[in-house]
Amino acid sequence: MILQIFSTFLKIGFLGFGGGYAMLSLIFEEASKFGMTVSQFADLNALDVLIPGPIAINSATYVGQIYGGFWGALASTFAVSMPSLIFVLAFMQYEGRINNNGYLKAALTSVKAASVGLIFAVALSIMLSTTFDMANLFDWQNHRFDFLSLAILIAAFVLHMRCNINPIALTLLAGIIGWLCYFI
Amino acid sequence: MKKNLILLKVYLLAGAFTFSGGMAMLPVIERELCEKRSLIDKESLYEYAALSQTFPGVIALTNACFVGKKINGAGGMFFAGAGAILPAYILMSIATLLYQLLPQQGPMLSALVAVRATSAAFLFAVAYTIAKYNLKAKVNIIIALICFIFTLLNLIGAPVLILLSALAGVLIYTGKDKK
């Protein structure tokens, strides 16, 4: 298991262009092979907001911890960190040749575009799971609409984008509202 | 040795107090390493930050490794890198352990459902922001749409889509180059 976690996060690291959020879609897909649910993944995103540090490290630690305990977390964090060490050492050797390479820039621009689509898809999966209780898009017959979670989703989006309210505050506030609503 | 300890301390500090992503670390690093201690100049720091984004992996860590290597060789790289990772690793390990203890029922589940809704909202916000700054050319919009649809319908995995997109970018660039 530990070895599997290590190789999975090594793969995620080397394919993870464009930073933590772009990596999330990879993590979402790979972690579901370990049995991670959409809810657990949504909770991971919430913890990413609440806990300081790079998102990729946070996410790797979380998945590793859940499926392999202490050693799992250590393996996943170490694995996801490997590309940085390798590329920095390699770059210092061949400085200049990689810099200003048109092909590399073109590839990165496309990967960035791809990440937009991938992140949107992940966001929609979480939305389907929380507000409609659907496992995936083809599960429409079994949907169960949850008004509260849709209201919170929209409110959080608007308050974050329009009013620039801190995501940490919004996450905690949502938790309190959800907690209170149970008693209504 | 003293430089290594400074790097470790500065990156631990930056890692422990910056939320949602590694690039938020930069102002702290700039203040500590450029202004207070003049170990590296601002131009180099931001040049490395831009460069880090072109490599796969954890951008904040790649940046820390570059800065550490520049200031104090392989040792500096190790200490800066460790500093950048450790707070996230330790705090997240503890947070995950506590999270696993949460009862998934009753009022706690109700709170978690609300929190999950915000997590969808923030991901939509991130995707929107990246789209706003990067989806200017028509071909990029098409790539984004294809990735969105194929992921949603569960047709092609994310790793393959990422590699295909990179390939498409290179091919388009090659096409333009010849004209």
Side-chain angles (χ1 to χ4, degrees):
Chain A
M1 192 64 182
I2 304 291
L3 209 65
Q4 209 180 336
I5 290 172
F6 184 83
S7 63
T8 299
F9 276 91
L10 204 58
K11 180 171 144 195
I12 290 171
F14 278 104
L15 283 171
F17 286 95
Y21 282 112
M23 251 188 232
L24 276 180
S25 51
L26 281 169
I27 294 172
F28 182 52
E29 206 170 287
E30 296 294 331
S32 65
K33 289 178 192 162
F34 291 124
M36 190 150 114
T37 63
V38 180
S39 301
Q40 279 177 314
F41 184 75
D43 295 338
L44 161 62
N45 285 304
L47 286 176
D48 278 340
V49 169
L50 297 175
I51 305 295
I55 287 164
I57 301 286
N58 287 342
S59 309
T61 307
Y62 174 88
V63 176
Q65 176 80 50
I66 287 184
Y67 295 102
F70 173 80
W71 294 106
L74 195 66
S76 59
T77 306
F78 185 64
V80 89
S81 305
M82 287 290 280
S84 300
L85 302 175
I86 292 170
F87 284 109
V88 169
L89 288 173
F91 181 82
M92 290 296 192
Q93 292 283 325
Y94 304 102
E95 190 160 0
R97 254 187 270 178
I98 307 175
N99 223 348
N100 287 322
N101 184 319
Y103 288 101
L104 190 66
K105 272 189 190 147
L108 279 170
T109 312
S110 308
V111 171
K112 202 113 196 188
S115 76
V116 170
L118 294 171
I119 299 169
F120 259 120
V122 171
L124 196 63
S125 300
I126 298 179
M127 184 182 166
L128 287 176
S129 157
T130 54
T131 65
F132 297 101
D133 202 17
M134 287 156 59
N136 59 53
L137 201 59
F138 308 109
D139 198 25
W140 184 251
Q141 292 91 335
N142 303 320
H143 82 275
R144 216 189 44 198
F145 181 63
D146 179 17
F147 177 75
L148 176 72
S149 93
L150 183 67
I152 286 179
L153 197 162
I154 294 170
F157 185 84
V158 172
L159 287 172
H160 176 53
M161 296 297 277
R162 293 263 160 243
C163 315
N164 235 333
I165 294 182
N166 189 322
I168 301 171
L170 289 172
T171 302
L172 295 176
L173 187 67
I176 294 168
I177 292 173
W179 179 281
L180 291 176
C181 283
Y182 178 81
F183 299 101
I184 293 174
Chain B
M1 192 61 211
K2 197 163 162 273
K3 278 184 184 169
N4 283 343
L5 286 180
I6 291 172
L7 281 167
L8 182 68
K9 200 185 100 191
V10 168
Y11 275 95
L12 276 176
L13 191 80
F17 293 101
T18 47
F19 291 86
S20 0
M23 289 317 254
M25 274 186 195
L26 276 178
V28 182
I29 304 297
E30 186 191 320
R31 195 182 64 224
E32 294 292 325
L33 292 185
C34 304
E35 288 166 18
K36 277 195 193 162
R37 297 190 175 86
S38 340
L39 283 171
I40 190 169
D41 54 285
K42 276 183 203 175
E43 287 74 38
S44 304
L45 178 69
Y46 282 94
E47 211 171 280
Y48 281 134
L51 187 65
S52 304
Q53 301 191 32
T54 65
F55 294 111
V58 188
I59 294 176
L61 175 62
T62 308
N63 194 22
C65 288
F66 268 129
V67 172
K69 183 94 168 50
K70 179 84 181 173
I71 290 176
N72 207 19
M77 176 175 129
F78 176 77
F79 279 94
I85 299 174
L86 280 176
Y89 168 66
I90 294 169
L91 292 172
M92 197 65 175
S93 289
I94 298 168
T96 309
L97 280 174
L98 293 176
Y99 160 76
Q100 286 177 299
L101 295 176
L102 289 181
Q104 296 272 343
Q105 54 181 325
M108 203 46 180
L109 181 64
S110 178
L112 280 174
V113 168
V115 166
R116 285 167 195 158
T118 63
S119 119
F122 295 143
L123 283 180
F124 276 123
V126 167
Y128 175 77
T129 310
I130 302 177
K132 204 166 95 183
Y133 293 107
N134 293 284
L135 294 192
K136 281 170 186 149
K138 214 179 266 170
V139 56
N140 288 334
I141 299 175
I142 295 169
I143 290 176
L145 272 176
I146 291 175
C147 289
F148 174 70
I149 292 165
F150 278 63
T151 309
L152 204 61
L153 299 179
N154 221 344
L155 290 175
I156 300 181
V160 179
L161 284 172
I162 288 172
L163 290 175
L164 285 178
S165 307
L167 188 67
V170 170
L171 288 177
I172 293 161
Y173 178 77
T174 317
K176 272 184 194 157
D177 219 22
K178 278 177 186 155
K179 278 175 199 168

